[in-house]
Structures are given as structure tokens and as C-alpha cells.
Amino acid sequence: MKKLLGIVVLSLLLSGNALSFNFSQSLTEYTKQNAGVESDIYMMNRCSAVFNWYGSYLIKSNEINKSSIFLEASSNMLEYSIIIYSKTRNLDFNKSHKVMSDRLMSLINFYEEDSKKLFLQNGNYLSGHIMDDLGICSATLQELKEKIKRN
């Protein structure tokens, strides 16, 4: 029985589907292939999710001060996505907030699952597309803040 269980577990780990990620591409790759308002909303929502995931990861690592920076960044990106979503859909802020918050929760769960898969692959939760997404999201947030200051 133990041999059978071992074979099943090993076959799952070795199959391509066992470690397939929720996100088929990093945000860098996504932005090269997609443009427009819908793409911007998706990117902001996904950035909010990766910032939130990393902020939570830092809390678990007892890095509270550092985590607050990422949780604030998550909140900023969520707010920007809500504003654009409400304007493009002609919805009030509360309805848009509900939609974007629901999407955010799903995306955070995807990052959590992907981080565990990355850890199984290379021993590091923060690597691969998650590391790439944090980089592009940080740059995007900085650009948005600068544009807002100019206006």
C-alpha cells in the first residue's frame, strides 16, 4: 500500500499539471500582449493582489513595518482599479468596490497557491512570476503616483 501511495504522489509531482500555475504569464508578459482600459484594470487588480500577498507573507515572517508598505500599496492599487472600473462601467463606487474586492480575493488566493508551487520547485516562495510581478507593480505604482501629483 505504501508503494502504491508513493507511486501516485511521485507521478503527480512529475506530471506537468501538478505544478501548473494559476497565472500563465507574468505581468511583464501580459502587458506586452494586452493594452487598453480593461488591461489596466486587470493589472491594477493583480498588482493589488501581489502586494497584499507579499504584505501578508511579511507579517508571517514577523516583518510588520515592511509589510505595512506593501499593504498600503495594495490598497492604493485597489482604489485606482475601483475608480477606473466605476468610470468605465458607469457604476457607483460601492458597486465597483464590491466587484474589484471579490476579484482581488481570488487573485490573492492564486498568488498563495502559486507561491507554494514555487516553493516546491526551488525552495523560495518569492521567485518566478511573483518576483517579476512585484517588480513591475512597484514601478507601475510609482508612475501612477507621479501622474497623480502632476494633475
Side-chain angles (χ1 to χ4, degrees), residues 117-134:
K117 292 174 185 175
L118 285 166
F119 184 80
L120 288 175
Q121 279 186 339
N122 61 32
N124 191 347
Y125 293 103
L126 181 60
S127 59
H129 65 281
I130 296 176
M131 178 70 93
D132 185 66
D133 288 359
L134 274 173

Side-chain angles (χ1 to χ4, degrees), residues 39-90:
S39 174
D40 291 346
I41 292 169
Y42 173 76
M43 183 170 178
M44 287 179 203
N45 210 246
R46 193 161 149 188
C47 284
S48 180
V50 75
F51 285 144
N52 190 294
W53 171 83
Y54 190 55
S56 298
Y57 173 81
L58 290 171
I59 288 172
K60 293 174 194 170
S61 302
N62 213 21
E63 296 184 53
I64 306 301
N65 292 336
K66 199 174 178 184
S67 73
S68 65
I69 295 167
F70 287 93
L71 293 174
E72 181 181 341
S74 173
S75 179
N76 289 338
M77 290 303 267
L78 177 62
E79 185 177 349
Y80 298 150
S81 71
I82 292 168
I83 291 167
I84 293 172
Y85 187 82
S86 66
K87 286 183 179 181
T88 59
R89 301 292 191 295
N90 221 9

Side-chain angles (χ1 to χ4, degrees), residues 22 24-25 31 40 59 77 81 105 131 144-145 149:
N22 289 296
S24 60
Q25 56 189 184
T31 56
D40 291 346
I59 288 172
M77 290 303 267
S81 71
M105 295 310 298
M131 178 70 93
L144 286 170
K145 285 182 174 184
K149 281 183 184 177

